[in-house]
Amino acid sequence: MAKHGAIIAVLLLSLLSPAAMGSAAVLTDPTGLYSTFIGDHWVYQAHHSSTDLMVFYGEADHELLYFQRLGPVAYSSARDFAQRSVELYGAPGGLEEFQLVGDFQAVEVAGEWGVSCSYSYQDGQGNTLWEYRIFLVLPGGEGFSIAFSDSKPEAADLPLLLEDILHHWRWLF
Amino acid sequence: MVRNRLRLTCLILVFVLLLGAAAPSSAATISARFERTLGSGTAPALIKEYGGEYIPPIQQRLWLEEVFARLTACVGREDVEYTLTVLNSREANAFSLPGGYVFITRGLLNLIGGDEAQLAAVLGHEIAHVEKKHGVNAVLRQMGLTVLAEVGALALDFISGELVRLAGATLVQVLQLGWGREAEFEADAVGQSLAVQAGFDPIGAIGLLDRLAQVNSSEEPVHLFSTHPDVQQRRQRLETALGSFWSEPVVVGDSKVLERLNQGRNSDQSGRTDPKGRYMLELSGQPGGLRVFDEQNREYVTWVPQASVREAAWSPQGDYLALLVEAEAGGEVWITDRWGYVVEQLKVQGDVAAFCWSPHGRALALDVVGPGEKRVMAAYLGEKAYVEVSRGLTAQGSCWLDDGLYFLHNGRWYQTQPPEVVQVRIDHPVPVVLQRKRVLNPTLIKEGNTYRLTRPALTLP
């Protein structure tokens, strides 16, 4: 009986492990700020990325995931950071047809509290895109942002794909 | 026109007589008000002429605002409120109007790209025109009011109306012709100095002139040049001024620094070691070029076969290799890229005896022998600009460390520092919003036993 129990536990663990999630890889930020698991269907985009920006394309036509380090910021809180950003996204020179979808919400990313929000806008080809974004001011005053966008309105809610990435998120400081 | 000018002069004379003993401080305020009125009255027509106002994307706008704010924080005139407007024109141009109205076109911004020093140079130049009242003085001069310039402004403020309209029309005419040769030279000097005070590299002004000259000769004419003095003269003056931004050489007393300096140049690692680890240099000092062992291809290659190389050193980042080459006039420094192709030859008067890289890899310290005394020159790559940093002191050797450039004079080390450059940092940045780029897939075509990749067809959205 105990033997069966152990087998079941191993099976459960293997099912829960990242390797069983349709194969995933550990992503460690080259600057050593964070790590997480990224599913294989996310394709890293070297031409978009830099030391401070990591960009991935998903399977769908407009699916996009990116993490950005912004360096030291003078924002006193993540809410200020989010508010100012949204204000500029909606201002001239910002995003076309920008619309905030829902209120700011507090969100926890591996023990750090940030603010999330979602919005829609129009890209250069006239497609409406929805984006879910988290704003964080990390200890030491560094700004950080996690964003997920797609052409489906569901992207405005915390998508399952991102939920999984956030679940495995670890800060390396 | 002559009748108008006469009438205007009479009017002003009457007002000056009437106003008599106005306090000088109020005259200054009134003058600033007149400038503001003149500028604000002319700005809308100019904005329209240049395709209207352009609002740059958020990130670029924040960067622009930060550079502009840093510059305007260093100005001397407190009676001017500066504003920056980006114009929706492809023409590379920038100008300013009395009262603090500064304009730059989208075309010039594109040309400058992300170069902070060059942006600071052009904005500094335009701010300098306002600081020195070049615009308003040119207008008054054109209207025949040279002598009455300051006092006239006092009276003009009370007349306003027709007079301001007339002055505005004159301003547009004068703007097409430029503020004058001496005004442009002065704006160059004041602008460069302003850029340094604000923490930007003064070399930006020279880099910008070179870039504009390149565009001017290759593509469409750059309007910015048509109203300005000869580029070579401006460049020469800006280059001469570079030296004034370096600190006066001082004797080094710090024993730790002296210890490091006495170990000799490139003490942390030999300049012959490729920072990227691919090439090994073998210097023979004989004609026939530089023998290099390529670790990647496991073979020897010869670079610059036409030259006799006395010394070689990689830049700190390993992007360039500096060679001390035996030339007719003595030692000369050539710069090659990572594949041994000469990209620049530094020409200085005299024989270069030795050199060392700056920590950022954008400049070199050259030990130059003759004509006259031995001296140390800082050579800026790309801009090909030179500064004598030893300031007339006989220098026997140099070493460029993180905290400054050092040279040996009469057995003692002296330190001099280049102007401090502070990179633009935005206090309240905003994350980028990205969109997916179209992925272009090439087609694989089988031709006999070989495969060929076709160039992907680009379809515009």
Side-chain angles (χ1 to χ4, degrees):
Chain A
M1 189 62 191
K3 197 178 173 183
H4 283 146
I7 292 167
I8 290 166
V10 167
L11 275 173
L12 276 172
L13 276 174
S14 63
L15 281 171
L16 288 171
S17 76
M21 303 185 326
S23 68
V26 177
L27 164 78
T28 305
D29 159 40
T31 60
L33 183 71
Y34 59 91
S35 82
T36 187
F37 285 111
I38 293 276
D40 276 355
H41 58 281
W42 287 108
V43 181
Y44 175 69
Q45 301 296 316
H47 66 287
H48 259 321
S49 305
S50 64
T51 327
D52 297 329
L53 182 68
M54 295 205 88
V55 184
F56 300 86
Y57 283 1
E59 281 168 336
D61 279 354
H62 293 95
E63 230 176 36
L64 185 66
L65 172 71
Y66 52 111
F67 315 127
Q68 189 186 3
R69 287 187 77 159
L70 286 108
V73 295
Y75 293 112
S76 55
S77 67
R79 181 165 283 269
D80 284 350
F81 182 18
Q83 258 165 356
R84 156 98 166 150
S85 303
V86 163
E87 192 185 299
L88 287 184
Y89 292 156
L95 304 170
E96 287 291 318
E97 305 288 327
F98 174 84
Q99 269 194 318
L100 193 62
V101 185
D103 289 334
F104 292 144
Q105 284 188 344
V107 61
E108 191 197 347
V109 181
E112 294 299 328
W113 283 94
V115 166
S116 72
C117 74
S118 30
Y119 45 86
S120 65
Y121 68 98
Q122 229 172 53
D123 70 5
Q125 282 81 52
N127 304 304
T128 301
L129 299 176
W130 277 265
E131 188 155 76
Y132 176 90
R133 188 182 284 274
I134 299 172
F135 300 88
L136 291 139
V137 179
L138 300 174
E142 171 154 13
F144 192 81
S145 165
I146 299 169
F148 170 83
S149 74
D150 198 359
S151 55
K152 296 177 196 138
E154 294 86 67
D157 301 320
L158 178 61
L160 207 63
L161 285 164
L162 190 56
E163 212 171 319
D164 197 46
I165 286 165
L166 294 181
H167 177 70
H168 292 100
W169 197 274
R170 298 289 177 272
W171 298 108
L172 304 176
F173 45 78
Chain B
M1 183 70 189
V2 175
R3 191 182 291 173
N4 272 344
R5 192 179 291 174
L6 196 68
R7 200 178 61 179
L8 194 66
T9 313
C10 290
L11 266 169
I12 290 164
L13 278 171
V14 168
F15 271 93
V16 168
L17 288 172
L18 285 173
L19 292 165
S25 60
S26 67
T29 313
I30 291 165
S31 167
R33 272 170 53 198
F34 173 66
E35 280 184 69
R36 191 89 195 153
T37 312
L38 192 58
S40 63
T42 315
L46 281 170
I47 293 172
K48 198 176 167 190
E49 196 187 316
Y50 278 86
E53 188 177 350
Y54 169 71
I55 311 281
I58 299 168
Q59 317 297 335
Q60 192 183 21
R61 198 169 84 206
L62 293 174
W63 176 69
L64 255 176
E65 283 170 0
E66 182 60 28
V67 173
F68 192 64
R70 261 169 60 171
L71 288 165
T72 52
C74 300
V75 297
R77 285 185 68 180
E78 288 175 2
D79 55 357
V80 179
E81 195 184 316
Y82 284 93
T83 55
L84 175 66
T85 307
V86 182
L87 299 168
N88 195 12
S89 165
R90 287 178 63 195
E91 182 186 292
N93 203 357
F95 53 89
S96 56
L97 296 177
Y101 299 91
V102 178
F103 301 90
I104 185 165
T105 61
R106 192 158 58 96
L108 186 53
L109 275 182
N110 287 343
L111 199 67
I112 288 169
D115 196 316
E116 293 171 7
Q118 291 189 12
L119 178 64
V122 71
L123 296 179
H125 176 99
E126 296 309 329
I127 290 170
H129 277 312
V130 180
E131 285 289 296
K132 294 292 170 187
K133 301 185 180 183
H134 291 153
V136 72
N137 285 344
V139 168
L140 293 171
R141 200 164 48 237
Q142 185 76 3
M143 292 169 84
L145 303 172
T146 320
V147 184
L148 298 173
E150 280 301 319
V151 194
L154 182 71
L156 289 171
D157 188 68
F158 292 91
I159 305 164
S160 66
E162 188 194 351
L163 198 57
V164 172
R165 269 198 301 278
L166 198 62
T170 312
L171 178 63
V172 175
Q173 283 172 18
V174 178
L175 190 66
Q176 303 297 327
L177 302 168
W179 303 140
R181 184 186 150 86
E182 284 312 311
E184 294 303 339
F185 283 136
E186 190 179 30
D188 275 348
V190 174
Q192 195 182 27
S193 175
L194 196 62
V196 173
Q197 283 178 59
F200 296 101
D201 198 332
I203 197 71
I206 295 173
L208 180 71
L209 274 185
D210 289 348
R211 192 174 284 199
L212 288 169
Q214 212 174 6
V215 175
N216 201 36
S217 59
S218 62
E219 294 165 28
E220 55 194 276
V222 179
H223 181 75
L224 197 60
F225 271 174
S226 58
T227 57
H228 286 57
D230 177 57
V231 177
Q232 280 312 315
Q233 281 183 44
R234 292 178 69 192
R235 196 187 195 286
Q236 205 171 6
R237 285 180 183 225
L238 288 165
E239 190 177 342
T240 308
L242 276 181
S244 65
F245 302 119
W246 282 66
S247 68
E248 280 289 333
V250 289
V251 178
V252 181
D254 190 327
S255 57
K256 280 184 186 169
V257 178
L258 285 170
E259 196 182 324
R260 194 169 170 198
L261 291 168
N262 289 328
Q263 282 171 1
R265 69 180 60 222
N266 300 321
S267 55
D268 47 350
Q269 71 162 25
S270 164
R272 293 186 196 172
T273 310
D274 177 7
K276 296 186 178 176
R278 177 170 173 178
Y279 300 111
M280 285 175 69
L281 312 177
E282 288 185 11
L283 281 171
S284 65
Q286 301 299 313
L290 178 70
R291 210 165 123 86
V292 179
F293 184 70
D294 182 350
E295 294 269 12
Q296 192 169 303
N297 295 326
R298 310 294 302 163
E299 63 178 10
Y300 277 98
V301 286
T302 303
W303 288 352
V304 285
Q306 72 277 29
S308 171
V309 180
R310 289 207 304 234
E311 187 54 87
W314 288 100
S315 63
Q317 292 76 26
D319 297 328
Y320 297 101
L321 178 69
L323 306 172
L324 183 54
V325 171
E326 201 68 61
E328 272 180 31
E332 208 173 88
V333 174
W334 293 6
I335 310 294
T336 78
D337 60 15
R338 278 193 64 74
W339 296 273
Y341 293 102
V342 177
V343 291
E344 200 168 324
Q345 287 177 292
L346 305 179
K347 304 277 185 195
V348 285
Q349 279 196 323
D351 173 20
V352 179
F355 67 85
C356 80
W357 281 97
S358 68
H360 52 64
R362 286 197 62 238
L364 286 163
L366 309 177
D367 297 352
V368 184
V369 182
E373 299 287 342
K374 291 177 181 176
R375 60 200 196 279
V376 176
M377 310 276 291
Y380 292 85
L381 305 181
E383 293 85 5
K384 290 186 182 169
Y386 303 91
V387 178
E388 191 195 326
V389 293
S390 50
R391 303 257 181 123
L393 298 173
T394 313
Q396 280 101 28
S398 62
C399 193
W400 202 330
L401 303 179
D402 286 335
D403 55 353
L405 200 161
Y406 296 83
F407 60 89
L408 207 51
H409 167 68
N410 287 344
R412 299 176 84 179
W413 282 101
Y414 281 71
Q415 185 206 35
T416 175
Q417 288 175 313
E420 191 187 359
V421 176
V422 183
Q423 218 185 340
V424 168
R425 198 178 71 84
I426 294 150
D427 283 343
H428 295 93
V430 166
V432 290
V433 176
L434 295 181
Q435 286 153 22
R436 281 178 68 146
K437 286 180 185 166
R438 184 182 286 268
V439 180
L440 301 172
N441 294 313
T443 317
L444 199 64
I445 297 172
K446 192 176 183 198
E447 290 173 341
N449 290 330
T450 57
Y451 285 93
R452 185 167 61 88
L453 279 174
T454 62
R455 191 183 289 271
L458 178 68
T459 49
L460 293 171

